[in-house]
């Protein structure tokens, strides 16, 4: 219920599969706890920050990157520049 209230604060933890089915209108921050394997997956995750927040929505997307994931993360960063 709290996810349906625009001014409420909640934390949702979900896999990519579950996240694709969620429709939460006021996500302002996405934290990637693992690096996406494909650019479109990253864009889908990060794009949640703009859904339903308004026409000029600005959100934050933070990636937690382990040393073993640096190469993949760099590829994503280059692709979305």
């Amino acid at each position: 219920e709290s996810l349906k209230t625009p001014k409420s604060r909640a934390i949702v933890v979900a896999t990519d599969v579950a996240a694709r089915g969620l429709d939460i209108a006021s996500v302002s921050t996405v934290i990637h706890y693992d690096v996406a394997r494909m650019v479109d997956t990253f864009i889908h995750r990060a794009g949640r920050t703009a859904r339903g927040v308004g026409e000029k929505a600005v959100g934050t997307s933070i990636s937690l990157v382990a040393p073993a994931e640096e190469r993949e993360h760099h590829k994503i960063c280059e692709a979305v520049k």
Side-chain angles (χ1 to χ4, degrees):
E1 271 314 296
S2 68
L3 296 176
K4 294 178 183 177
T5 307
K7 294 187 183 218
S8 71
R9 298 280 184 202
I11 295 174
V12 178
V13 178
T15 64
D16 284 338
V17 174
R20 288 185 181 269
L22 295 175
D23 189 20
I24 303 168
S26 58
V27 175
S28 62
T29 304
V30 171
I31 300 174
H32 308 266
Y33 64 89
D34 62 349
V35 173
R37 293 188 178 140
M38 297 177 6
V39 173
D40 67 326
T41 301
F42 176 83
I43 291 170
H44 177 79
R45 290 179 187 173
R48 292 255 172 217
T49 63
R51 292 188 68 190
V53 181
E55 193 174 302
K56 296 181 182 187
V58 175
T60 303
S61 180
I62 301 167
S63 294
L64 305 177
V65 183
E69 299 172 312
E70 285 181 16
R71 197 168 110 214
E72 290 302 315
H73 185 255
H74 180 73
K75 287 180 191 176
I76 289 171
C77 290
E78 290 297 315
V80 297
K81 275 188 178 178

